Coordinates of all heavy atoms in Angstrom, one line a residue:
M1 N 4.0 49.6 102.6 CA 4.2 48.6 103.6 C 5.6 48.7 104.1 O 6.5 48.7 103.3 CB 3.9 47.2 103.0 CG 4.3 46.1 104.0 SD 4.1 44.4 103.3 CE 2.3 44.3 103.4
R2 N 5.7 48.9 105.4 CA 7.0 49.0 106.0 C 7.5 47.7 106.5 O 6.8 46.9 107.1 CB 6.9 50.0 107.2 CG 8.2 50.6 107.6 CD 8.0 51.7 108.6 NE 9.2 51.8 109.3 CZ 10.0 52.8 109.1 NH1 9.6 53.8 108.3 NH2 11.1 52.9 109.8
I3 N 8.7 47.4 106.1 CA 9.3 46.1 106.5 C 10.1 46.2 107.8 O 11.0 47.0 107.9 CB 10.2 45.5 105.4 CG1 9.4 45.3 104.1 CG2 11.0 44.3 105.8 CD1 10.2 44.9 102.9
R4 N 9.6 45.5 108.8 CA 10.1 45.6 110.2 C 10.8 44.3 110.6 O 11.6 44.3 111.5 CB 9.1 46.0 111.2 CG 8.4 47.3 110.9 CD 7.3 47.6 111.9 NE 6.5 48.7 111.5 CZ 6.7 49.9 111.8 NH1 7.8 50.3 112.4 NH2 5.9 50.9 111.4
D5 N 10.4 43.2 110.0 CA 10.9 41.9 110.4 C 10.7 40.9 109.3 O 10.2 41.3 108.2 CB 10.2 41.4 111.7 CG 8.7 41.4 111.6 OD1 8.2 41.3 110.4 OD2 8.0 41.4 112.6
L6 N 11.1 39.7 109.5 CA 11.0 38.7 108.4 C 9.6 38.4 108.0 O 9.3 38.2 106.8 CB 11.7 37.4 108.9 CG 11.8 36.3 107.8 CD1 12.5 36.7 106.6 CD2 12.4 35.0 108.4
A7 N 8.7 38.4 108.9 CA 7.3 38.2 108.6 C 6.7 39.3 107.6 O 6.0 39.0 106.7 CB 6.4 38.1 109.8
S8 N 7.1 40.6 107.9 CA 6.6 41.7 107.1 C 7.3 41.6 105.7 O 6.7 42.0 104.7 CB 6.7 43.0 107.8 OG 8.1 43.3 108.1
F9 N 8.6 41.2 105.7 CA 9.3 41.0 104.5 C 8.6 40.0 103.6 O 8.3 40.2 102.4 CB 10.7 40.6 104.7 CG 11.4 40.2 103.4 CD1 11.9 41.1 102.5 CD2 11.6 38.9 103.1 CE1 12.5 40.8 101.4 CE2 12.2 38.5 102.0 CZ 12.7 39.4 101.1
N10 N 8.3 38.8 104.2 CA 7.6 37.8 103.4 C 6.2 38.2 102.9 O 5.8 37.8 101.8 CB 7.5 36.5 104.3 CG 8.8 35.8 104.4 OD1 9.7 35.9 103.6 ND2 9.0 35.1 105.6
A11 N 5.5 39.0 103.7 CA 4.2 39.5 103.3 C 4.3 40.4 102.1 O 3.6 40.3 101.1 CB 3.5 40.2 104.5
A12 N 5.3 41.3 102.2 CA 5.6 42.2 101.0 C 6.0 41.4 99.8 O 5.6 41.7 98.7 CB 6.7 43.2 101.4
R13 N 6.8 40.4 100.0 CA 7.3 39.6 98.9 C 6.1 38.9 98.2 O 6.0 38.9 97.0 CB 8.3 38.6 99.4 CG 8.8 37.6 98.3 CD 9.8 36.6 98.9 NE 10.4 35.7 97.9 CZ 9.7 34.6 97.5 NH1 8.6 34.3 98.0 NH2 10.3 33.9 96.6
E14 N 5.3 38.3 99.0 CA 4.1 37.6 98.5 C 3.1 38.5 97.7 O 2.6 38.2 96.7 CB 3.4 36.8 99.6 CG 4.2 35.6 100.1 CD 4.6 34.6 99.1 OE1 3.8 34.3 98.2 OE2 5.8 34.2 99.1
A15 N 2.9 39.7 98.3 CA 2.1 40.7 97.7 C 2.6 41.1 96.3 O 1.9 41.2 95.3 CB 1.9 41.9 98.6
G16 N 3.9 41.3 96.3 CA 4.6 41.7 95.0 C 4.5 40.6 94.0 O 4.2 40.8 92.8
L17 N 4.8 39.3 94.4 CA 4.7 38.2 93.5 C 3.3 38.0 93.0 O 3.1 37.6 91.8 CB 5.2 36.9 94.1 CG 6.7 36.8 94.3 CD1 7.1 35.6 95.1 CD2 7.4 36.8 92.9
A18 N 2.3 38.2 93.8 CA 0.9 38.1 93.4 C 0.5 39.1 92.3 O -0.3 38.7 91.4 CB -0.1 38.3 94.6
K19 N 1.1 40.3 92.3 CA 0.9 41.2 91.3 C 1.6 40.8 90.0 O 1.1 41.0 88.9 CB 1.4 42.6 91.7 CG 0.5 43.3 92.6 CD 1.0 44.7 92.9 CE 0.0 45.4 93.9 NZ 0.5 46.8 94.2
L20 N 2.8 40.3 90.1 CA 3.6 40.0 88.9 C 3.2 38.6 88.3 O 3.2 38.5 87.1 CB 5.1 39.9 89.3 CG 5.8 41.2 89.6 CD1 7.2 40.9 90.1 CD2 5.8 42.1 88.4
L21 N 2.8 37.7 89.2 CA 2.5 36.3 88.7 C 1.2 35.9 89.4 O 1.1 35.1 90.2 CB 3.6 35.4 89.2 CG 5.0 35.7 88.8 CD1 6.0 34.8 89.4 CD2 5.2 35.8 87.3
P22 N 0.1 36.5 88.9 CA -1.3 36.3 89.4 C -1.8 34.9 89.1 O -1.2 34.2 88.3 CB -2.1 37.4 88.8 CG -1.5 37.6 87.5 CD 0.0 37.5 87.7
P23 N -2.9 34.5 89.8 CA -3.4 33.1 89.5 C -4.2 33.1 88.2 O -4.6 32.0 87.8 CB -4.3 32.9 90.7 CG -4.7 34.3 91.2 CD -3.5 35.2 90.9
S24 N -4.3 34.1 87.5 CA -5.0 34.1 86.2 C -4.0 34.7 85.1 O -3.0 35.3 85.5 CB -6.2 35.0 86.2 OG -5.9 36.3 86.5
P25 N -4.3 34.4 83.8 CA -3.4 34.9 82.8 C -3.2 36.4 82.8 O -4.1 37.2 83.2 CB -4.1 34.5 81.5 CG -4.9 33.4 81.9 CD -5.4 33.6 83.3
R26 N -2.0 36.9 82.5 CA -1.7 38.3 82.6 C -0.8 38.7 81.4 O 0.2 38.0 81.1 CB -0.9 38.7 83.8 CG -0.5 40.1 83.9 CD 0.2 40.4 85.3 NE 0.4 41.8 85.5 CZ 1.5 42.5 85.2 NH1 2.5 41.9 84.6 NH2 1.5 43.8 85.5
I27 N -1.2 39.7 80.7 CA -0.4 40.2 79.6 C 0.0 41.7 79.9 O -0.8 42.5 80.4 CB -1.3 40.2 78.3 CG1 -1.6 38.8 77.9 CG2 -0.6 41.0 77.1 CD1 -2.5 38.7 76.7
A28 N 1.3 41.9 79.7 CA 1.8 43.3 80.0 C 2.4 43.8 78.7 O 3.2 43.2 78.1 CB 2.8 43.3 81.1
V29 N 2.0 45.0 78.3 CA 2.5 45.7 77.1 C 3.6 46.7 77.6 O 3.3 47.6 78.4 CB 1.4 46.3 76.3 CG1 2.0 47.0 75.1 CG2 0.4 45.3 75.9
G30 N 4.8 46.6 77.0 CA 5.8 47.6 77.3 C 5.5 49.0 76.8 O 5.4 49.2 75.6
M31 N 5.3 49.9 77.7 CA 4.8 51.2 77.3 C 5.9 52.3 77.6 O 5.6 53.5 77.9 CB 3.5 51.6 78.0 CG 2.4 50.6 77.7 SD 1.8 50.6 76.1 CE 0.8 52.1 76.1
G32 N 7.2 51.9 77.6 CA 8.2 52.9 77.7 C 8.3 53.7 76.5 O 7.6 53.5 75.5
T33 N 9.2 54.6 76.4 CA 9.4 55.5 75.3 C 9.5 54.8 74.0 O 8.9 55.1 73.0 CB 10.6 56.5 75.5 OG1 10.4 57.2 76.7 CG2 10.7 57.5 74.4
C34 N 10.4 53.8 73.9 CA 10.6 53.0 72.7 C 9.4 52.2 72.3 O 9.1 52.1 71.1 CB 11.8 52.1 72.8 SG 13.4 53.0 73.0
G35 N 8.7 51.6 73.3 CA 7.5 50.9 73.0 C 6.5 51.7 72.4 O 5.9 51.4 71.4
V36 N 6.2 52.9 73.1 CA 5.2 53.8 72.6 C 5.5 54.3 71.2 O 4.7 54.4 70.3 CB 4.9 54.9 73.6 CG1 4.0 56.0 73.0 CG2 4.4 54.4 74.9
G37 N 6.8 54.6 71.0 CA 7.2 55.1 69.7 C 7.1 54.0 68.6 O 7.1 54.4 67.4
N38 N 7.0 52.8 69.0 CA 6.9 51.7 68.0 C 5.5 51.1 67.9 O 5.4 50.0 67.4 CB 8.0 50.6 68.3 CG 9.3 51.0 67.8 OD1 9.6 51.1 66.6 ND2 10.3 51.3 68.7
G39 N 4.5 51.8 68.5 CA 3.2 51.3 68.4 C 2.5 50.6 69.5 O 1.5 49.9 69.4
A40 N 3.1 50.7 70.7 CA 2.6 49.9 71.9 C 1.2 50.3 72.2 O 0.4 49.5 72.7 CB 3.6 50.0 73.1
E41 N 0.9 51.6 72.1 CA -0.5 52.0 72.4 C -1.5 51.3 71.6 O -2.6 50.8 72.1 CB -0.6 53.6 72.2 CG -1.9 54.1 72.8 CD -2.1 54.0 74.3 OE1 -1.1 54.3 75.0 OE2 -3.2 53.5 74.7
A42 N -1.3 51.2 70.3 CA -2.2 50.4 69.4 C -2.3 49.0 69.8 O -3.4 48.3 69.7 CB -1.8 50.6 68.0
I43 N -1.2 48.4 70.2 CA -1.1 47.0 70.6 C -1.9 46.8 71.9 O -2.7 45.9 72.0 CB 0.3 46.5 70.8 CG1 1.0 46.5 69.4 CG2 0.4 45.2 71.5 CD1 2.5 46.5 69.5
F44 N -1.7 47.7 72.9 CA -2.5 47.6 74.1 C -4.0 47.7 73.8 O -4.8 46.9 74.3 CB -2.1 48.8 75.0 CG -2.8 48.7 76.4 CD1 -2.3 48.0 77.4 CD2 -4.0 49.4 76.6 CE1 -2.9 47.9 78.6 CE2 -4.7 49.3 77.8 CZ -4.1 48.6 78.8
R45 N -4.4 48.6 72.9 CA -5.8 48.8 72.6 C -6.3 47.5 71.9 O -7.4 47.1 72.2 CB -6.0 50.0 71.7 CG -7.3 50.3 71.3 CD -8.3 51.0 72.3 NE -7.9 51.2 73.7 CZ -8.5 50.7 74.8 NH1 -9.5 49.9 74.7 NH2 -8.0 50.9 76.0
A46 N -5.5 46.9 71.0 CA -5.9 45.7 70.3 C -6.2 44.5 71.3 O -7.2 43.8 71.2 CB -4.9 45.3 69.3
F47 N -5.3 44.4 72.3 CA -5.5 43.4 73.4 C -6.7 43.7 74.2 O -7.5 42.8 74.4 CB -4.3 43.3 74.3 CG -3.2 42.4 73.8 CD1 -2.0 42.9 73.3 CD2 -3.3 41.0 73.7 CE1 -1.0 42.1 72.9 CE2 -2.3 40.2 73.3 CZ -1.1 40.7 72.8
A48 N -6.9 45.0 74.6 CA -8.0 45.3 75.4 C -9.3 45.1 74.7 O -10.3 44.5 75.3 CB -7.9 46.8 75.8
D49 N -9.4 45.4 73.4 CA -10.6 45.2 72.6 C -10.9 43.8 72.5 O -12.1 43.3 72.6 CB -10.5 45.9 71.3 CG -10.5 47.4 71.3 OD1 -10.8 48.0 72.4 OD2 -10.1 48.0 70.3
T50 N -9.9 43.0 72.1 CA -10.1 41.5 71.9 C -10.5 40.8 73.2 O -11.4 40.0 73.2 CB -8.9 40.9 71.3 OG1 -8.5 41.6 70.1 CG2 -9.1 39.4 71.0
I51 N -9.9 41.2 74.3 CA -10.2 40.6 75.6 C -11.6 40.9 76.0 O -12.4 40.1 76.4 CB -9.2 41.1 76.7 CG1 -7.8 40.4 76.5 CG2 -9.7 40.8 78.1 CD1 -6.7 41.1 77.3
E52 N -12.0 42.2 75.8 CA -13.4 42.6 76.1 C -14.4 41.9 75.2 O -15.4 41.4 75.7 CB -13.5 44.1 75.9 CG -14.9 44.6 76.3 CD -15.0 46.1 76.2 OE1 -14.0 46.8 76.2 OE2 -16.2 46.6 76.2
Q53 N -14.2 41.8 73.9 CA -15.1 41.2 73.0 C -15.3 39.7 73.3 O -16.4 39.2 73.2 CB -14.6 41.3 71.5 CG -14.6 42.7 70.9 CD -13.8 42.8 69.6 OE1 -13.2 41.8 69.2 NE2 -13.8 44.0 69.1
R54 N -14.2 39.1 73.7 CA -14.3 37.6 74.0 C -14.7 37.3 75.4 O -14.9 36.2 75.8 CB -13.0 37.0 73.7 CG -12.6 37.0 72.2 CD -11.3 36.3 72.0 NE -10.9 36.4 70.6 CZ -9.8 35.8 70.2 NH1 -9.0 35.1 71.0 NH2 -9.5 35.9 68.9
G55 N -14.7 38.3 76.3 CA -15.0 38.1 77.7 C -14.0 37.2 78.4 O -14.4 36.4 79.2
M56 N -12.7 37.4 78.1 CA -11.7 36.6 78.6 C -11.2 37.0 80.0 O -11.1 38.2 80.2 CB -10.5 36.6 77.6 CG -10.8 36.0 76.2 SD -9.4 36.1 75.1 CE -8.6 34.6 75.7
P57 N -10.9 36.0 80.8 CA -10.4 36.4 82.2 C -8.9 36.6 82.2 O -8.1 35.9 82.8 CB -10.8 35.1 83.0 CG -10.6 34.0 82.0 CD -11.1 34.6 80.7
V58 N -8.5 37.6 81.4 CA -7.1 38.0 81.3 C -6.8 39.3 81.9 O -7.5 40.3 81.5 CB -6.6 37.9 79.8 CG1 -5.2 38.4 79.6 CG2 -6.9 36.6 79.2
Q59 N -5.8 39.5 82.7 CA -5.4 40.8 83.2 C -4.5 41.4 82.2 O -3.6 40.8 81.7 CB -4.6 40.6 84.5 CG -5.4 40.1 85.7 CD -4.5 40.0 86.9 OE1 -3.4 40.6 87.0 NE2 -5.0 39.2 87.9
L60 N -4.8 42.7 81.8 CA -4.0 43.4 80.9 C -3.4 44.6 81.6 O -4.1 45.3 82.3 CB -4.9 43.9 79.7 CG -4.2 44.7 78.6 CD1 -3.1 43.9 77.9 CD2 -5.2 45.2 77.6
A61 N -2.1 44.8 81.4 CA -1.4 45.9 82.1 C -0.5 46.6 81.2 O 0.1 46.0 80.3 CB -0.6 45.3 83.3
R62 N -0.3 47.9 81.5 CA 0.7 48.7 80.9 C 1.9 48.6 81.8 O 1.8 48.6 83.0 CB 0.3 50.2 80.8 CG -0.9 50.4 80.0 CD -1.4 51.9 80.1 NE -2.7 52.1 79.5 CZ -2.8 52.6 78.3 NH1 -1.7 53.0 77.6 NH2 -4.0 52.8 77.8
T63 N 3.1 48.5 81.2 CA 4.3 48.4 82.0 C 5.3 49.3 81.4 O 5.2 49.8 80.3 CB 4.8 47.0 82.2 OG1 5.8 46.9 83.2 CG2 5.3 46.4 80.9
G64 N 6.4 49.6 82.1 CA 7.4 50.4 81.6 C 8.4 49.7 80.7 O 8.0 48.7 80.1
C65 N 9.5 50.2 80.6 CA 10.5 49.7 79.6 C 11.0 48.3 80.0 O 11.2 48.0 81.1 CB 11.7 50.7 79.7 SG 13.1 50.2 78.6
F66 N 11.1 47.5 79.0 CA 11.6 46.1 79.1 C 13.1 46.1 79.0 O 13.8 45.2 79.3 CB 11.0 45.2 78.1 CG 9.7 44.6 78.4 CD1 8.6 45.2 77.9 CD2 9.5 43.5 79.2 CE1 7.3 44.7 78.1 CE2 8.3 43.0 79.5 CZ 7.1 43.6 78.9
G67 N 13.7 47.2 78.5 CA 15.1 47.3 78.4 C 15.8 46.7 77.1 O 17.0 46.5 77.1
F68 N 15.0 46.4 76.1 CA 15.5 45.9 74.9 C 14.9 46.6 73.7 O 14.0 46.1 73.0 CB 15.2 44.4 74.8 CG 15.9 43.6 73.7 CD1 17.2 44.0 73.3 CD2 15.3 42.6 73.1 CE1 17.8 43.3 72.3 CE2 15.9 41.9 72.0 CZ 17.2 42.3 71.6
C69 N 15.3 47.8 73.5 CA 14.7 48.8 72.6 C 14.7 48.2 71.1 O 13.7 48.5 70.4 CB 15.5 50.1 72.6 SG 15.5 50.9 74.2
A70 N 15.7 47.5 70.7 CA 15.8 47.0 69.4 C 14.6 46.0 69.0 O 14.3 45.8 67.9 CB 17.1 46.3 69.1
A71 N 14.0 45.4 70.1 CA 13.0 44.4 69.8 C 11.5 45.0 70.1 O 10.6 44.2 70.0 CB 13.2 43.2 70.7
E72 N 11.4 46.2 70.3 CA 10.1 46.8 70.6 C 9.2 46.7 69.4 O 9.7 46.7 68.3 CB 10.3 48.3 71.0 CG 10.9 48.5 72.4 CD 10.0 48.1 73.5 OE1 8.8 47.8 73.4 OE2 10.5 48.2 74.7
P73 N 7.9 46.7 69.6 CA 7.2 46.6 70.9 C 7.3 45.2 71.5 O 7.2 44.2 70.8 CB 5.8 47.0 70.5 CG 5.7 47.0 69.1 CD 7.0 46.9 68.5
L74 N 7.4 45.2 72.8 CA 7.5 44.0 73.6 C 6.2 43.7 74.4 O 5.6 44.7 74.9 CB 8.7 44.0 74.5 CG 10.0 44.0 73.8 CD1 11.1 44.5 74.7 CD2 10.3 42.7 73.2
V75 N 5.9 42.4 74.6 CA 4.7 42.0 75.3 C 5.1 40.8 76.2 O 5.7 39.9 75.7 CB 3.5 41.7 74.4 CG1 2.4 41.0 75.2 CG2 3.0 42.9 73.6
S76 N 4.8 40.9 77.5 CA 5.0 39.7 78.3 C 3.7 39.0 78.5 O 2.7 39.6 78.7 CB 5.7 40.0 79.6 OG 4.8 40.7 80.5
V77 N 3.8 37.6 78.5 CA 2.6 36.8 78.6 C 2.9 35.8 79.8 O 3.9 35.1 79.8 CB 2.3 36.0 77.4 CG1 1.1 35.1 77.6 CG2 2.1 36.9 76.2
W78 N 2.0 35.9 80.8 CA 2.1 35.0 82.0 C 0.9 34.1 82.0 O -0.2 34.6 82.0 CB 2.2 35.8 83.3 CG 1.9 35.0 84.5 CD1 0.7 35.0 85.2 CD2 2.7 34.0 85.1 NE1 0.8 34.1 86.2 CE2 2.0 33.5 86.2 CE3 4.0 33.5 84.8 CZ2 2.5 32.5 87.0 CZ3 4.5 32.5 85.7 CH2 3.7 32.0 86.7
L79 N 1.1 32.8 82.0 CA 0.1 31.8 82.2 C 0.5 31.1 83.5 O 1.6 30.6 83.6 CB 0.0 30.8 81.0 CG -0.4 31.4 79.7 CD1 -0.2 30.4 78.6 CD2 -1.8 32.0 79.7
P80 N -0.4 31.0 84.4 CA -0.1 30.3 85.7 C 0.5 28.9 85.4 O 0.0 28.1 84.6 CB -1.5 30.2 86.4 CG -2.3 31.3 85.8 CD -1.8 31.4 84.4
G81 N 1.6 28.6 86.1 CA 2.2 27.3 86.0 C 3.2 27.2 84.8 O 3.8 26.2 84.7
K82 N 3.3 28.2 84.0 CA 4.2 28.2 82.9 C 5.2 29.3 83.0 O 5.1 30.3 83.8 CB 3.4 28.5 81.6 CG 2.2 27.6 81.3 CD 2.6 26.3 80.8 CE 1.4 25.5 80.5 NZ 1.7 24.2 80.1
P83 N 6.3 29.2 82.3 CA 7.3 30.2 82.3 C 6.8 31.5 81.7 O 6.0 31.5 80.8 CB 8.5 29.7 81.5 CG 8.2 28.2 81.4 CD 6.8 28.0 81.5
L84 N 7.3 32.7 82.2 CA 7.0 33.9 81.6 C 7.6 34.0 80.2 O 8.7 33.6 80.0 CB 7.5 35.1 82.5 CG 7.3 36.5 82.0 CD1 5.8 36.8 82.1 CD2 8.1 37.5 82.8
V85 N 6.8 34.5 79.2 CA 7.2 34.6 77.8 C 7.2 36.0 77.4 O 6.3 36.8 77.7 CB 6.3 33.8 76.9 CG1 6.7 33.9 75.5 CG2 6.3 32.3 77.3
I86 N 8.3 36.5 76.8 CA 8.4 37.8 76.3 C 8.4 37.7 74.8 O 9.2 37.1 74.1 CB 9.7 38.5 76.7 CG1 9.9 38.5 78.2 CG2 9.7 40.0 76.2 CD1 9.0 39.3 79.0
L87 N 7.4 38.4 74.2 CA 7.2 38.4 72.7 C 7.7 39.7 72.2 O 7.5 40.8 72.8 CB 5.7 38.2 72.4 CG 5.1 37.0 72.9 CD1 3.6 37.0 72.7 CD2 5.7 35.7 72.4
Q88 N 8.4 39.7 71.0 CA 9.0 40.9 70.5 C 8.4 41.2 69.1 O 7.8 40.4 68.4 CB 10.5 40.7 70.3 CG 10.9 39.6 69.4 CD 12.4 39.5 69.3 OE1 13.1 40.3 69.7 NE2 12.9 38.3 68.8
K89 N 8.5 42.5 68.8 CA 8.1 43.1 67.5 C 6.6 42.7 67.2 O 6.3 42.3 66.1 CB 9.0 42.7 66.4 CG 10.4 43.2 66.6 CD 11.3 43.0 65.4 CE 12.7 43.6 65.8 NZ 13.6 43.5 64.7
I90 N 5.8 42.9 68.2 CA 4.4 42.6 68.1 C 3.6 43.7 67.3 O 4.0 44.8 67.4 CB 3.7 42.4 69.5 CG1 4.5 41.3 70.3 CG2 2.3 42.2 69.5 CD1 4.4 40.0 69.7
R91 N 2.6 43.3 66.6 CA 1.8 44.2 65.9 C 0.3 44.1 66.4 O 0.0 43.0 67.0 CB 1.8 43.9 64.4 CG 3.2 44.0 63.7 CD 3.1 43.7 62.2 NE 2.2 42.6 61.9 CZ 2.5 41.4 61.6 NH1 3.8 41.1 61.5 NH2 1.6 40.4 61.3
P92 N -0.5 45.1 66.3 CA -1.8 45.0 66.8 C -2.6 43.8 66.2 O -3.4 43.2 67.0 CB -2.5 46.3 66.3 CG -1.3 47.3 66.2 CD -0.2 46.4 65.7
D93 N -2.4 43.4 65.0 CA -3.1 42.3 64.5 C -2.7 40.9 65.0 O -3.2 39.9 64.7 CB -3.2 42.3 62.9 CG -1.8 42.3 62.3 OD1 -0.8 42.6 63.0 OD2 -1.7 41.9 61.1
D94 N -1.6 40.9 65.8 CA -1.1 39.7 66.5 C -1.9 39.4 67.7 O -1.9 38.2 68.2 CB 0.3 39.8 66.9 CG 1.3 39.9 65.7 OD1 1.0 39.3 64.6 OD2 2.4 40.6 65.9
A95 N -2.6 40.3 68.3 CA -3.3 40.2 69.6 C -4.3 39.0 69.5 O -4.3 38.1 70.4 CB -4.0 41.5 70.0
P96 N -5.2 38.9 68.6 CA -6.1 37.7 68.6 C -5.4 36.4 68.6 O -5.8 35.5 69.3 CB -7.0 37.9 67.3 CG -6.9 39.4 67.1 CD -5.5 39.8 67.5
A97 N -4.4 36.2 67.8 CA -3.7 34.9 67.7 C -3.0 34.6 69.0 O -2.9 33.5 69.5 CB -2.7 34.9 66.5
I98 N -2.4 35.7 69.6 CA -1.7 35.5 70.9 C -2.7 35.0 72.0 O -2.5 34.1 72.7 CB -1.0 36.7 71.3 CG1 0.2 37.0 70.4 CG2 -0.5 36.7 72.8 CD1 0.9 38.4 70.5
L99 N -3.9 35.6 72.0 CA -4.9 35.3 72.9 C -5.5 33.9 72.6 O -5.9 33.2 73.6 CB -6.0 36.3 73.0 CG -5.6 37.6 73.6 CD1 -6.6 38.7 73.3 CD2 -5.4 37.5 75.1
D100 N -5.5 33.5 71.4 CA -5.9 32.1 71.0 C -5.0 31.1 71.6 O -5.4 30.0 72.0 CB -6.0 31.9 69.5 CG -7.2 32.6 68.9 OD1 -8.1 33.0 69.6 OD2 -7.1 32.8 67.7
E101 N -3.7 31.4 71.6 CA -2.7 30.4 72.1 C -2.8 30.3 73.6 O -2.4 29.4 74.2 CB -1.3 30.8 71.7 CG -1.1 30.8 70.2 CD -1.2 29.4 69.6 OE1 -0.7 28.4 70.2 OE2 -1.7 29.2 68.5

């Protein structure tokens, strides 16, 4: 999308925010080098499996580096109308409890 004026800027801004802060719950697993090296792939799979088994309306996304290597693996949780929460040092067996909350 090419930004030519304020209207196109606002449209691009809204489209970007809709991806980052959708109207439904969204979980993003940090899949940068440090995240993957600390088990993020297994965490992503645990979330995907649990969401599928429960038929939950949750968007699951892989994302890049969160920038805090010492706390990897990191997971962001977005619930509409609530502040974004970043969870640290997550393990695959944490996924069901996080989804329960």
Side-chain angles (χ1 to χ4, degrees):
M1 173 182 282
R2 200 171 157 107
I3 297 176
R4 299 178 194 271
D5 54 21
L6 184 58
S8 60
F9 170 79
N10 286 333
R13 179 181 180 275
E14 292 304 315
L17 285 174
K19 284 184 179 179
L20 290 174
L21 307 173
S24 61
R26 180 178 190 266
I27 294 176
V29 179
M31 303 292 283
T33 304
C34 292
V36 171
N38 283 293
E41 188 64 47
I43 293 163
F44 183 88
R45 184 73 356 239
F47 275 110
D49 291 346
T50 305
I51 289 167
E52 183 178 344
Q53 288 168 1
R54 295 180 180 182
M56 299 178 81
V58 176
Q59 294 180 17
L60 180 62
R62 298 172 188 261
T63 190
C65 178
F66 278 97
F68 190 37
C69 300
E72 291 287 356
L74 293 164
V75 171
S76 72
V77 179
W78 161 255
L79 297 173
K82 305 283 185 185
L84 179 69
V85 175
I86 307 290
L87 304 172
Q88 62 180 343
K89 298 187 180 184
I90 301 301
R91 298 181 322 253
D93 59 339
D94 293 329
I98 291 168
L99 290 167
D100 287 344
E101 295 293 322

